[in-house]
């Protein structure tokens, strides 16, 4: 039996000190096992889970997300790695922003092309290079500048064939510029026509940012140097604009995972200070929203380790279970099995967690959150391992006073009132139709039998498996708003239990005001009867 403690406890019940000590001790053991597993190969995954959870937050405003990332970029320790990724992202999503900056500094490209025939041909060629560049931007700038300033540079043009072209001829036939010997002409301009590299014509060719395709890393490094070495106001302005325009989820997914852990922890602290401490509960099917509530109410976590563990057990139960089932963690799984069994043997009842809640005055807020999270995760683990049939799930609902009704999304009613899977009914229907077609035959066929050995398997067993896979329920835990299948029930119920724990522990004891005042507004108590 799994008792989820969804009912409001009786706070006047006697406190069983031994029960409290045993439960907290077992949860501490569970923490050690999970943490050792994360340290021996799963820590990087735990960081990914945390970054994914943060990316799912929806209450961060564009102004706040800009403030978050700019503060991080401008922190005492320069974040050149983070800045590089951000500039990469800007070149990819909105290259025009970078192009507008480069156009103002077009003269620096004189060194970019100097001694590099490959770059020259990529940018000034009149045909597509296949790299994403539009055709002819460089040569168009070159031809416009040359014709406009023919008195100072016409002699520097190198033509294919035996003779060159005069300005008068090219004026009537501008396509003759396609006959330029590009590499030699640009090399001449690099040596003898410095005016071209600062010209409006050349700058105009750079504004859309297509030139970044030629050597992305070169331009990324150049922009990072502008940010940190020159503290370029123009660059910081476009960075600020870009940060406001991008979705928070996109920024987090691309940038956070690259941070060192201390920088990620610093980011979390900045994020916590921006969250509304009076945030109201609404959608707890969104795990990121649940974590947002926790983060806004919790104060200082102390270390990134606490955040990684808390996020893993509260919002990433399914991922943690998947990690645990990997071959290298069989020993850890065996330990958790034993811990789960011992926790289940602690006397249960409507008020069996009351002693635990009454003991929280000796814990910090983060320790309480962790304790409740670990208790809920062991619920999730037990349900995922042991409850595999509709009957077992319905016993959980009954034991925990959760009203339920079978969803008709998948199941159909048989003549005797039992539920059958749709595929099974279809199979039976096919057999009946087939029989009707063979009525005229003299040879008798045996009637369809659910346990017919000729089928090669036990149809009754097959029906049971099918029902287990397809059965779903509408529950009072969410006001019958969604149909929950056996695959999703452990996560839903473990989350419901955590929410209720937070309600009970934060709404009932004024003597714990120091630790729990910040939690009181988090959730309204909802009794599931």
């Amino acid at each position: 039996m799994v008792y989820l403690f969804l009912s409001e406890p009786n706070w006047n019940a006697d406190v069983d000190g031994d029960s409290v000590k045993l439960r907290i001790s077992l949860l501490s053991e569970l923490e050690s096992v999970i943490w050792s597993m994360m340290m021996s190969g799963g820590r990087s995954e735990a960081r990914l889970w945390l970054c994914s959870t943060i990316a799912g937050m929806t209450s961060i405003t564009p102004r706040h997300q800009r403030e978050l990332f700019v503060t991080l970029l401008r922190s005492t320790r320069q974040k050149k790695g983070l800045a590089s990724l951000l500039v990469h992202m800007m070149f990819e999503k909105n290259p025009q922003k970078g192009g507008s900056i480069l156009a103002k500094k077009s003269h620096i490209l004189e060194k970019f092309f100097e001694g590099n025939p490959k770059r020259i041909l990529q940018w000034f060629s009149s045909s597509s290079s296949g790299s994403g560049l539009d055709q002819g931007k460089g040569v168009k700038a070159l031809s416009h500048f040359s014709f406009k300033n023919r008195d100072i540079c016409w002699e520097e043009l190198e033509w294919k064939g035996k003779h060159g072209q005069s300005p008068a001829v090219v004026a009537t036939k501008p396509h003759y510029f396609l006959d330029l010997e590009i590499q030699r002409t640009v090399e001449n301009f690099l040596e003898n026509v410095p005016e071209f590299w600062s010209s409006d014509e050349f700058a105009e060719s750079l504004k859309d940012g297509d030139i970044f395709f030629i050597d992305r890393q070169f331009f990324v490094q150049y922009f990072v140097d502008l940010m940190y070495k020159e503290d370029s106001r123009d660059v910081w302005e476009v960075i600020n604009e870009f940060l406001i325009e991008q979705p928070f989820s996109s920024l987090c997914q691309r940038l956070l995972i690259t941070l060192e852990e201390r920088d990620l922890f610093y980011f979390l602290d900045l994020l916590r200070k921006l969250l509304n401490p009076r945030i109201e509960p609404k959608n707890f099917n969104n795990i990121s929203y649940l974590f947002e509530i926790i983060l806004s109410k919790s104060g200082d976590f102390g270390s990134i380790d606490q955040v990684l563990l808390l996020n893993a057990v509260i919002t990433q139960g399914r991922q943690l279970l998947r990690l645990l089932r990997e071959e290298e963690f069989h020993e850890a799984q065996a330990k958790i099995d034993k811990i789960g069994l011992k926790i289940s043997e602690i006397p249960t009842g409507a008020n069996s967690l009351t002693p635990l809640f009454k003991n929280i005055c000796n814990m910090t807020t983060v320790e309480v959150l962790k304790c409740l999270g670990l208790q809920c995760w062991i619920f999730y683990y037990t349900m995922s391992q042991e409850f595999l049939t509709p009957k077992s799930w319905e016993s959980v609902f009954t034991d925990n006073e959760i009203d339920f009704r079978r969803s008709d999304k998948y199941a159909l009613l048989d003549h005797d009132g039992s539920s059958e899977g749709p595929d099974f009914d279809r199979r039976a229907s096919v057999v009946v139709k087939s029989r009707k077609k063979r009525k005229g035959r003299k040879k008798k066929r045996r009637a369809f039998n659910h346990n017919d050995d000729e089928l090669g398997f036990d149809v009754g067993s097959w029906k049971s498996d099918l029902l287990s896979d397809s059965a779903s329920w509408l529950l009072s835990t969410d006001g019958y708003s969604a149909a929950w299948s056996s695959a999703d029930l452990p996560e839903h119920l473990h989350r419901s239990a955590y929410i209720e724990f937070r309600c009970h522990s934060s709404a009932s004891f004024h003597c714990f005001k120091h630790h729990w005042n910040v939690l009181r507004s988090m959730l309204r108590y909802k009794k599931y009867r």
Side-chain angles (χ1 to χ4, degrees):
M1 172 179 172
V2 170
Y3 195 82
L4 300 174
F5 311 106
L6 296 177
S7 300
E8 187 174 15
N10 177 6
W11 301 110
N12 295 319
D14 293 335
V15 174
D16 181 356
D18 291 338
S19 173
V20 172
K21 292 177 182 177
L22 177 58
R23 188 180 295 274
I24 293 178
S25 174
L26 290 170
L27 292 176
S28 180
E29 286 183 41
L30 177 62
E31 177 187 358
S32 297
V33 174
I34 292 175
W35 190 246
S36 64
M37 181 176 66
M38 289 166 59
M39 288 296 290
S40 62
R43 188 181 183 95
S44 58
E45 283 210 57
R47 286 185 60 195
L48 279 171
W49 299 340
L50 178 58
C51 293
S52 176
T53 299
I54 296 170
M57 291 184 176
T58 57
S59 67
I60 306 301
T61 66
R63 182 177 62 84
H64 280 161
Q65 71 188 37
R66 177 193 63 189
E67 183 180 337
L68 270 171
F69 284 100
V70 169
T71 302
L72 191 61
L73 287 165
R74 285 189 173 276
S75 58
T76 306
R77 295 170 52 250
Q78 291 183 352
K79 305 296 187 300
K80 290 189 176 182
L82 178 66
S84 295
L85 282 172
L86 182 59
V87 173
H88 260 291
M89 189 176 176
M90 184 175 72
F91 287 172
E92 178 185 315
K93 302 280 188 180
N94 198 338
Q96 294 85 354
K97 288 190 178 297
S100 66
I101 299 296
L102 192 61
K104 297 176 183 179
K105 301 176 178 292
S106 60
H107 63 278
I108 68 103
L109 293 182
E110 189 172 356
K111 292 184 178 180
F112 176 72
F113 289 111
E114 199 169 60
N116 200 311
K118 182 179 178 181
R119 289 175 178 172
I120 290 173
L121 293 176
Q122 280 182 292
W123 186 241
F124 291 96
S125 174
S126 59
S127 61
S128 175
S129 66
S131 63
L133 300 173
D134 286 346
Q135 295 184 5
K137 288 186 179 178
V139 73
K140 188 182 294 185
L142 186 67
S143 60
H144 286 180
F145 176 85
S146 298
F147 196 78
K148 183 179 177 180
N149 300 277
R150 51 189 176 275
D151 56 322
I152 65 169
C153 67
W154 198 263
E155 296 302 319
E156 305 300 334
L157 301 178
E158 298 284 349
W159 302 91
K160 297 175 184 176
K162 295 182 179 179
H163 59 84
Q165 303 292 345
S166 67
V169 172
V170 176
T172 59
K173 298 179 180 179
H175 64 276
Y176 276 12
F177 270 115
L178 299 178
D179 292 332
L180 281 175
E181 179 63 56
I182 291 297
Q183 181 179 333
R184 290 167 56 198
T185 296
V186 173
E187 287 173 348
N188 288 346
F189 273 54
L190 286 168
E191 186 174 350
N192 302 315
V193 192
E195 297 87 348
F196 171 70
W197 306 102
S198 301
S199 68
D200 291 341
E201 291 81 6
F202 183 53
E204 188 66 29
S205 73
L206 306 174
K207 284 184 177 179
D208 60 6
D210 273 5
I211 196 167
F212 299 142
F213 280 103
I214 293 178
D215 191 334
R216 179 75 62 87
Q217 193 54 48
F218 172 88
F219 290 108
V220 167
Q221 185 58 54
Y222 175 67
F223 271 72
V224 172
D225 287 344
L226 287 176
M227 291 169 68
Y228 288 112
K229 290 183 179 179
E230 299 185 22
D231 195 19
S232 168
R233 181 177 178 179
D234 288 343
V235 175
W236 280 107
E237 281 182 357
V238 298
I239 290 293
N240 273 267
E241 290 173 6
F242 182 74
L243 287 171
I244 282 182
E245 294 167 358
Q246 293 305 300
F248 182 68
S249 59
S250 179
L251 291 170
C252 290
Q253 289 164 357
R254 292 285 295 271
L255 304 178
L256 293 189
I257 194 59
T258 65
L259 295 178
E260 295 180 11
E261 287 193 355
R262 58 178 171 176
D263 294 327
L264 180 59
F265 189 58
Y266 176 54
F267 180 87
L268 275 170
D269 190 50
L270 294 173
L271 179 61
R272 180 180 58 81
K273 292 173 182 176
L274 289 176
L275 293 174
N276 181 3
R278 296 186 178 183
I279 187 171
E280 291 296 326
K282 47 184 181 181
N283 179 20
F284 285 104
N285 289 325
N286 182 340
I287 58 175
S288 294
Y289 185 77
L290 179 57
F291 183 76
E292 191 172 336
I293 292 280
I294 294 166
L295 191 62
S296 68
K297 310 291 183 181
S298 301
D300 186 10
F301 278 98
S303 72
I304 189 68
D305 293 352
Q306 298 278 13
V307 189
L308 291 173
L309 181 69
L310 195 58
N311 179 66
V313 296
I314 294 175
T315 73
Q316 302 290 330
R318 186 174 298 192
Q319 298 297 334
L320 185 57
L321 180 59
R322 178 187 56 77
L323 180 66
L324 182 63
R325 285 172 174 169
E326 292 183 4
E327 186 175 351
E328 60 186 297
F329 297 122
H330 282 341
E331 185 178 341
Q333 186 171 2
K335 290 179 180 178
I336 291 177
D337 286 336
K338 292 179 181 178
I339 293 170
L341 180 61
K342 290 178 181 178
I343 289 177
S344 69
E345 290 173 348
I346 296 176
T348 58
N351 306 305
S352 63
L353 279 191
T354 302
L356 177 61
F357 292 141
K358 283 191 174 183
N359 191 57
I360 63 176
C361 57
N362 297 321
M363 301 181 186
T364 66
T365 300
V366 173
E367 287 172 337
V368 173
L369 290 170
K370 182 172 61 178
C371 188
L372 300 182
L374 288 164
Q375 176 65 72
C376 289
W377 187 82
I378 203 66
F379 287 159
Y380 176 85
Y381 178 78
T382 302
M383 288 186 287
S384 298
Q385 295 289 94
E386 298 180 9
F387 293 88
L388 305 175
T389 66
K391 186 176 180 179
S392 63
W393 278 116
E394 290 175 5
S395 71
V396 173
F397 305 151
T398 302
D399 292 339
N400 289 277
E401 298 181 341
I402 299 172
D403 287 341
F404 68 93
R405 55 178 177 262
R406 188 73 69 82
S407 168
D408 60 0
K409 184 175 181 181
Y410 301 107
L412 299 173
L413 289 178
D414 199 355
H415 64 276
D416 61 357
S418 61
S419 295
E420 304 285 7
D423 291 339
F424 182 83
D425 286 343
R426 185 163 58 250
R427 172 69 181 272
S429 175
V430 170
V431 172
V432 171
K433 289 180 180 178
S434 180
R435 259 202 229 147
K436 289 180 179 178
K437 289 181 180 179
R438 295 196 296 268
K439 263 187 176 180
R441 296 186 183 181
K442 291 182 180 179
K443 187 174 181 181
K444 292 184 178 180
R445 302 280 183 177
R446 288 190 301 165
F448 182 77
N449 190 321
H450 286 184
N451 293 312
D452 196 338
D453 292 337
E454 290 185 4
L455 292 177
F457 59 87
D458 185 343
V459 178
S461 174
W462 175 69
K463 285 173 59 182
S464 177
D465 291 342
L466 178 63
L467 180 59
S468 177
D469 290 339
S470 63
S472 61
W473 296 267
L474 296 166
L475 305 178
S476 59
T477 50
D478 62 352
Y480 309 100
S481 61
W484 295 97
S485 68
S486 57
D488 296 322
L489 275 169
E491 196 162 29
H492 171 65
L493 293 178
H494 125 271
R495 201 172 298 159
S496 296
Y498 186 78
I499 292 168
E500 286 305 307
F501 283 2
R502 294 291 306 275
C503 290
H504 301 329
S505 54
S506 63
S508 304
F509 289 101
H510 296 293
C511 62
F512 306 136
K513 188 174 181 180
H514 176 70
H515 293 308
W516 288 98
N517 257 357
V518 292
L519 305 175
R520 289 174 63 84
S521 62
M522 177 185 138
L523 295 164
R524 296 186 184 94
Y525 174 71
K526 222 172 150 189
K527 192 173 183 182
Y528 304 129
R529 298 187 68 85

